[in-house]
Amino acid sequence: MSDGFRGCYKLNGEVTDRLGFYGDHDPVELVRRFGSPLYLYSEDILRANCRTLKNMCTYKNFRVNFSVKANTNLAIIRIAREEGLCADAMSPGEIAAVMAAGYEAPEILFIPNNVSGEEMRFAAEKGIMISVDSLSQLDLFGRLFPGKSVAVRLNPGIGAGHHEKVVTAGDAAKFGVNLAELPEIKEILRRRGLRLAGLSQHIGSKFMDSGAYIMDIRNLLAAAEEFPGLDFIDFGGGFGIPYRKQENEPPMDMGRTGVLLDAIMSDFAARYGKEVQFIVEPGRYVAAEAGVLLGTVHAIKHNGSIKFIGTDIGMNTLMRPALYDSHHDIEVYSLNPPAGGPEAVSVVGNICESGDILAKDRPLPRISEGDVLGVLDAGSYGYSMSSNYNMRLRPAEVLLRSNGEAAVIRERDSLEDLLRNQRMIDI
Ligand code: LLP
C-alpha cells in the first residue's frame, strides 16, 4: 500500500478471523478505499449459506426461495440464483429487482400484504404466482383474474420471532387467513372460478428452534388436505442465526430441522395422492452472516457515567438496534496497539435522535478516535432497511469475491441523489 499503511490491529477480531471473513483484506484499508460507513459481503460465506439451505432436505421436490427483502443487492441475488435458490418478493419493486437479477416468472413467488389490484396485475401479467393473504384480497384477485390459479397465505395459529414486531402468525398478527375461514376460501374460489395452486405461511422471523415452525406446518398441512390438487405448499422462512457469536451462541440446528421436514413432507406426499412441491423461504439466513457493516469512530466522550463512542453508523444505516433493540456483535479495528479494556461503552451514531444507539453498555476493547468498527451479521435487513433520514447518504456496498477481489456492488448515495425527486415550485 503506497501510503505506508501497514494494516490494523484487530483488537477483538476472533469471530471474523474464525469465519475468514476478510480473507487477505484489511478492514481499515477497505474503509480508506471505499469510504465509511460501508456494507461488506463475503461471497464465500453467502454461497456456503445457500448450500446449507439447498441441502437441508433430501425430499426431491423441495425448493428454497430467497426472501429478498433481507437483501436486494443484485449481485447478492444473482449469487443466490446461481446457487440454485428461487425467490420470493413482497412488492413490485422486489419483483423488478429479482427479474433484473435474472429470475424468471416460474422461479418467483409474490407474497404481498394489502396490495392494490394494479400491483397484483403487475405480477400476474408477468406470469408470477401470487399468494394472497386475506379473503378480501382473494376476492379482488378473483374479480380481476377469474378462472386463474392463485395461492393463499394462511395464519396457522402460532407465531414465533425475536421481537413482537416480527411475529407474523397468531391472533395479534395482520397476516394470513385464519384456519377457521377455510369454508370462506372455498366459497370465493368457487364463486370466482379460481384454482387454488398453493398454500403458504410465514410465522415470524428468527427462531433458533424449529418447535413452533413444525407445529404450524402440521396445522398448515391439515388445512391442505381439504384442498385437493395443490401444486405447492410453502412453509415460510424465519430460520435464525446466532447474533451473539462473541458469547459462543450456538447456531440453529439446520440438519435436525431438515430431518424433521423430510419426514413431514414424505408422510404428507404419501397421503395426499399428488406430487406437491414444498418450499421454504428464508431471508435472514441467506445473507446475514455474509455481511459486516464497517464504520468509523469520530468522537469519544463521557456524559454522566456513560462513555459514548460516537460513530458514523447511524440508525439510518442499520435500523435493527433502534427498532427492535437487536444485538449485533461489534469488532474493533485500530491503528493503535491494544491499550487495555474491555470497558463498558455505548456505541452511538450521527443521527439526531437519542434512540440512535447501536450498542448500549457494551464491553469493548479500549477504542480511540479513528478506529474502525465492524458490526457483524449485518448482511440481512441492514442495507435493505436503511434510509436517508437526516439527509444522510446510504453507504456503498462492496463484495469480497472468492477470487480475492473487492468489487463495488452499489455506489454510495450522492448529494444529488438526495434531491433528485424534489420539485422546485414558485414560492
Ligand atoms: N416470507 C415472508 C412472507 C416474510 O414476510 C418474511 C419476512 C420472510 C419470508 C423471510 O423471513 P426471514 O427468514 O428473513 O426471517 N426486519 C426484521 C425481519 C422482518 C422479516 C419480515 N418478513 C429484522 O431485521 O429482524
Side-chain angles (χ1 to χ4, degrees), residues 62 131 148 152 182 191 214 244 246 279 290 301 304 328:
F62 173 72
S131 186
K148 289 278 191 302
V152 173
L182 301 187
R191 184 154 42 85
I214 298 292
R244 294 176 185 267
Q246 290 173 331
I279 302 175
K301 74 170 167 192
H328 285 260

Side-chain angles (χ1 to χ4, degrees), residues 210-226:
S210 52
Y213 191 57
I214 298 292
M215 277 195 276
D216 279 321
I217 286 173
R218 293 190 195 287
N219 293 341
L220 181 70
L221 293 181
E225 300 215 26
E226 296 201 23

Side-chain angles (χ1 to χ4, degrees), residues 148-207:
K148 289 278 191 302
S149 294
V150 67
V152 173
R153 174 172 175 177
L154 297 181
N155 178 342
I158 310 160
H162 67 86
H163 190 279
E164 60 175 356
K165 288 179 181 158
V166 300
V167 173
T168 52
D171 290 344
K174 68 167 179 161
F175 298 97
V177 179
N178 290 323
L179 294 174
E181 290 174 322
L182 301 187
E184 286 81 353
I185 294 178
K186 288 179 187 167
E187 193 278 318
I188 296 171
L189 293 173
R190 197 169 43 243
R191 184 154 42 85
R192 302 290 181 194
L194 298 170
R195 182 178 89 87
L196 190 69
L199 287 176
S200 70
Q201 68 168 29
H202 174 72
I203 69 163
S205 195
K206 190 189 170 287
F207 43 80

Side-chain angles (χ1 to χ4, degrees), residues 67 69 153 162 202 205 238 281-284 320 324 381 385:
S67 193
K69 55 181 72 67
R153 174 172 175 177
H162 67 86
H202 174 72
S205 195
E281 57 192 31
R284 182 188 318 273
R320 303 191 70 258
Y324 316 116
Y381 306 111
M385 293 176 77

Side-chain angles (χ1 to χ4, degrees), residues 96-136:
V98 298
M99 294 195 108
Y103 278 105
E104 289 173 14
E107 302 168 317
I108 304 168
L109 180 60
F110 182 36
I111 316 185
N113 181 234
N114 306 326
V115 285
S116 66
E118 259 167 71
E119 288 178 286
M120 286 187 190
R121 194 179 293 286
F122 182 89
E125 280 175 352
K126 295 176 172 57
I128 295 171
M129 176 58 62
I130 305 180
S131 186
V132 296
D133 100 330
S134 63
L135 295 174
S136 60

